[in-house]
Amino acid sequence: MVRFGSRYLVDAAAWIVGLSLAIWFRYAFDVPTDAYFPVTMLILVTLFGQLLFGFVFELYRGRFSFGSLEEVRALGVAVAFVAVCLGVPVLLLGSGYGVPRSIFLIATPLALVAMFSVRFVKRLLIEQRNAPKEGVTRTLVYGAGVLGSSLVRQMLSDPTTLYRPVGLIDDDPAKRQSQVRDVRVLGAFNDLPRIVERTRAQFLVVAVPRADSTLLRLVQDMAMQLDLTVKVVPTLSDILAGRSGTGTIRDISIEDLIGRHPVDTDLSTIAGYLTGRRVLVTGAGGSIGLELCKQIAGFGPSELVMLDRDETGLQQAQLATAGHGLLNTKDVVLCDIRDAPALDEVLIARRPEVVFHAAALKHLPMLEQYPDEAWKTNVLGTLNVINAARLAEVDTFINVSTDKAANPTSVLGHSKRVAEKLTAWAADDSGFRYLSVRFGNVIGSRGSMLPTFQSLIEAGGPLTVTHPDVTRYFMTIPEACQLVIQAGAIGRPGEILILDMGEPVRILDVAKRMIAMSGKQIEIAFTGLREGEKLHEELVGVREKLERPFHPMISHTRADTIPPTRLDHDGWMARMFAEPRVNDTAVLEAHRAQKEHKA
């Protein structure tokens, strides 16, 4: 409280000086003696007014940091109230009491300038005291906008920082003469070699809002040539969602280099079907299910039920959504989607209004060995969830699918394609919004390519790649889950929603980049495409027609339907393995065309 009292003393002294100078200026430094008393009383009343309005606007209650923009704004408002509340009576009645009417017109700007000046000088002293000492790493900041400028100021005022900014880089010609404190814009990105030689910088921090993977790859490639370590500034949403630490700067990751921007999500439409409603997620312990639960919880459902057969996965989901992993509350349900009676019992008892079906077997080569398991989980398990949802009168059902369901050549793809058809059948039969969401590989999901590559690199290699030309579509886990949640808002019954995933990424390029980032000498071994695996993955089936009625990056298509009565395990197996087990879509299409011609 003493510290905030000192701020009032500064402001009180400013008013005393301002009012004293005003009276001297008014009387040309020859103040009549009969004005001393009324002016002294006016000064005392003004000091009380400053104290009163200072507390009203929380100037002296510890709300604002010293010299901040918020404090300056509040100070200006408080002084204005004092000047008006006292200046107007003085203007009307002052001459009758020996007080010049113009005193506040002169004193107010003088006092305000004095208050601002003290705060400005004090803040400069604080920043100078907190400036980074010698020994910190010389750092360039790419981006001279709001984000980059804020980062430079933070570096210069944080005594514990590991970075000392020595220059800014920006491609905007209008910013070429910009300067933040003593840190100037030294050029554009193409000038980086010259700037590094001039500044002897060791780090480059990318402070470009929503920098995409194309830009980050260019930066990383240039930085590797110049022996620069690249850092990035995480977005606020990444920090709040726990996908980045609370620190301002983090290392660049392979996800940054091959990822994409999340889809712009219409929060108002999402809130309309999730807020205050009962929601159930199957496969809640998996990578997609866990992120789904975290995002859904943020929309305030009346109840979020997380269902999985993996108790450890459920504990992780509960930790992420409820802040504890006690596993003794009703928000976690241990149940296998293969167990239809148990599933019916859960959904009838909990009566969810929205169901996200993320439970599935997903590893392509494993299901090639054990196709019956794909049938039991991805086909019959999905049917069990659909039937239970219909018994519970669920009005919105979102089935999480995969790009491998488009023109399928694998057991995984065929099983997920049947799941899409069953979901479409349920929509036609019930009239409710039962729909599917299809997307490509998810970066960093459990058992996916990136963690596998990382493990192989840490073990010293070799790093195994199936084929030098194989490509895949990629998206981040949060992006995938945004699509799934958005689908529940804009999807129509029986549809499949597909995200525009941009250009596919060559796996060999990812492998080489990860090896380069590791700094190790790792061999790459080519193992050949596995049974049922495509060289180039697809998102759209050959007979599927796309439209984009609601979102510029989300396509809609109608799914074929199959009723449960037509499910035939033996026939499915026979048809699936009668298809050529090839990796090339053109060969597959030629085979299909030949079959249609014979028919």
Side-chain angles (χ1 to χ4, degrees):
M1 198 64 188
V2 174
R3 179 160 57 96
F4 305 119
S6 65
R7 298 187 188 185
Y8 170 69
L9 293 178
V10 168
D11 298 339
W15 270 119
I16 293 172
V17 171
L19 289 167
S20 300
L21 289 175
I23 195 74
W24 288 337
F25 293 159
R26 172 63 182 79
Y27 287 110
F29 299 98
D30 186 15
V31 182
T33 55
D34 60 353
Y36 287 168
F37 179 75
V39 170
T40 301
M41 295 305 296
L42 180 62
I43 290 175
L44 293 176
V45 173
T46 302
L47 299 186
F48 175 77
Q50 180 65 32
L51 181 64
L52 174 64
F53 286 110
F55 270 96
V56 168
F57 295 104
E58 302 185 350
L59 274 171
Y60 312 127
R61 301 160 95 181
R63 179 177 180 181
F64 306 110
S65 58
F66 198 88
S68 65
L69 178 63
E70 293 78 10
E71 186 192 30
V72 169
R73 188 188 307 122
L75 178 62
V77 173
V79 169
F81 268 85
V82 173
V84 171
C85 292
L86 297 180
V88 171
V90 168
L91 189 63
L92 297 176
L93 307 171
S95 59
Y97 294 91
V99 178
R101 292 182 177 182
S102 60
I103 188 170
F104 271 100
L105 296 177
I106 302 172
T108 301
L110 293 174
L112 199 56
V113 168
M115 296 175 194
F116 287 167
S117 298
V118 170
R119 284 167 169 79
F120 176 72
V121 171
K122 179 67 180 296
R123 179 163 181 170
L124 284 181
L125 292 174
I126 292 173
E127 290 182 350
Q128 187 176 23
R129 184 184 64 199
N130 292 337
K133 307 300 185 292
E134 292 298 324
V136 292
T137 307
R138 300 173 67 85
T139 302
L140 294 170
V141 176
Y142 183 18
V146 175
L147 186 60
S149 299
S150 300
L151 179 63
V152 168
R153 291 190 184 95
Q154 183 174 348
M155 287 178 176
L156 292 174
S157 59
D158 183 1
T160 64
T161 186
L162 301 175
Y163 315 98
R164 180 162 67 91
V166 294
L168 283 157
I169 300 170
D170 203 287
D171 297 318
D172 184 357
K175 293 191 174 75
R176 292 296 165 83
Q177 303 302 318
S178 298
Q179 181 170 323
V180 181
R181 301 269 293 276
D182 295 330
V183 182
R184 296 178 52 238
V185 174
L186 302 178
F189 177 71
N190 290 335
D191 302 318
L192 190 58
R194 173 182 59 80
I195 295 171
V196 170
E197 182 179 2
R198 171 183 170 183
T199 61
R200 305 190 312 280
Q202 299 166 279
F203 277 24
L204 174 65
V205 179
V206 180
V208 179
R210 295 176 65 84
D212 61 20
S213 57
T214 302
L215 173 62
L216 292 176
R217 284 196 295 270
L218 288 173
V219 171
Q220 176 74 358
D221 291 343
M222 178 73 80
M224 290 176 66
Q225 296 176 25
L226 300 173
D227 198 25
L228 279 175
T229 300
V230 179
K231 302 277 186 176
V232 294
V233 179
T235 62
L236 179 61
S237 59
D238 284 341
I239 295 173
L240 294 177
R243 295 189 290 270
S244 181
T246 56
T248 304
I249 299 172
R250 64 169 174 81
D251 292 329
I252 195 169
S253 67
I254 190 66
E255 289 87 347
D256 295 319
L257 300 176
I258 66 174
R260 294 164 21 87
H261 288 319
V263 178
D264 291 328
T265 305
D266 188 345
L267 300 182
S268 61
T269 58
I270 289 177
Y273 87 98
L274 290 180
T275 302
R277 307 193 76 202
R278 298 182 300 277
V279 182
L280 183 142
V281 179
T282 71
S287 302
I288 294 294
L290 175 59
E291 179 66 24
L292 270 175
C293 291
K294 289 166 63 176
Q295 292 194 22
I296 292 168
F299 293 106
S302 62
E303 184 179 26
L304 175 59
V305 181
M306 298 173 285
L307 183 147
D308 204 298
R309 67 177 183 178
D310 180 358
E311 57 184 354
T312 303
L314 283 175
Q315 187 177 48
Q316 294 300 314
Q318 191 176 54
L319 281 167
T321 56
H324 67 83
L326 299 176
L327 298 178
N328 61 349
T329 52
K330 290 187 175 182
D331 57 338
V332 288
V333 175
L334 190 63
C335 182
D336 193 331
I337 63 170
R338 293 183 177 188
D339 189 343
L343 202 57
D344 291 346
E345 183 179 348
V346 170
L347 268 74
I348 291 173
R350 306 305 288 272
R351 291 284 175 181
E353 298 165 274
V354 182
V355 169
F356 291 89
H357 176 44
L361 296 177
K362 65 175 185 177
H363 286 285
L364 184 149
M366 183 65 73
L367 297 184
E368 289 295 317
Q369 292 190 70
Y370 304 100
D372 279 344
E373 299 303 308
W375 176 264
K376 293 173 187 177
T377 296
N378 295 351
V379 177
L380 297 184
T382 297
L383 179 59
N384 291 339
V385 179
I386 289 172
N387 287 335
R390 296 187 64 184
L391 286 173
E393 299 180 335
V394 171
D395 58 52
T396 301
F397 181 96
I398 300 100
N399 168 50
V400 178
S401 189
T402 171
D403 55 358
K404 293 170 179 61
N407 304 323
T409 60
S410 63
V411 172
L412 171 60
H414 280 287
S415 66
K416 296 297 283 185
R417 181 61 178 163
V418 175
E420 290 180 352
K421 293 181 177 182
L422 287 170
T423 304
W425 163 81
D428 288 351
D429 195 58
S430 68
F432 288 122
R433 289 196 313 130
Y434 283 59
L435 52 110
S436 297
V437 186
R438 187 189 293 167
F439 48 82
N441 290 31
V442 179
I443 301 172
S445 63
R446 190 169 60 187
S448 63
M449 181 191 73
L450 293 188
T452 302
F453 278 6
Q454 190 62 46
S455 297
L456 292 172
I457 290 172
E458 290 174 359
L463 200 156
T464 55
V465 177
T466 56
H467 190 284
D469 296 323
V470 69
T471 63
R472 291 292 179 264
Y473 293 101
F474 286 98
M475 61 168 50
T476 65
I477 295 176
E479 180 183 20
C481 292
Q482 284 181 18
L483 171 64
V484 173
I485 294 174
Q486 182 80 67
I490 66 175
R492 295 170 294 196
E495 286 188 329
I496 300 172
L497 273 67
I498 307 168
L499 178 66
D500 178 0
M501 300 189 66
E503 295 299 319
V505 177
R506 198 165 72 127
I507 303 301
L508 180 60
D509 293 339
V510 177
K512 289 179 177 179
R513 196 172 288 277
M514 291 185 70
I515 292 171
M517 291 174 67
S518 73
K520 298 180 179 181
Q521 297 294 324
I522 304 292
E523 179 187 354
I524 296 177
F526 296 104
T527 61
L529 290 172
R530 297 166 293 188
E531 188 75 13
E533 190 174 28
K534 296 179 182 179
L535 185 63
H536 305 294
E537 206 62 77
E538 302 156 287
L539 287 164
V540 184
V542 290
R543 294 192 301 272
E544 294 175 341
K545 296 181 180 180
L546 302 183
E547 58 174 338
R548 296 185 181 184
F550 303 117
H551 196 290
M553 293 183 65
I554 301 178
S555 299
H556 298 233
T557 188
R558 299 291 304 182
D560 296 333
T561 64
I562 182 172
T565 54
R566 286 186 52 198
L567 288 182
D568 175 15
H569 171 265
D570 293 337
W572 177 74
M573 292 283 286
R575 286 192 302 274
M576 181 172 56
F577 287 99
E579 295 281 353
R581 312 296 287 160
V582 298
N583 316 109
D584 190 292
T585 302
V587 176
L588 179 63
E589 286 309 305
H591 176 81
R592 286 177 176 164
Q594 186 180 21
K595 287 177 63 177
E596 291 175 2
H597 178 71
K598 288 181 179 179

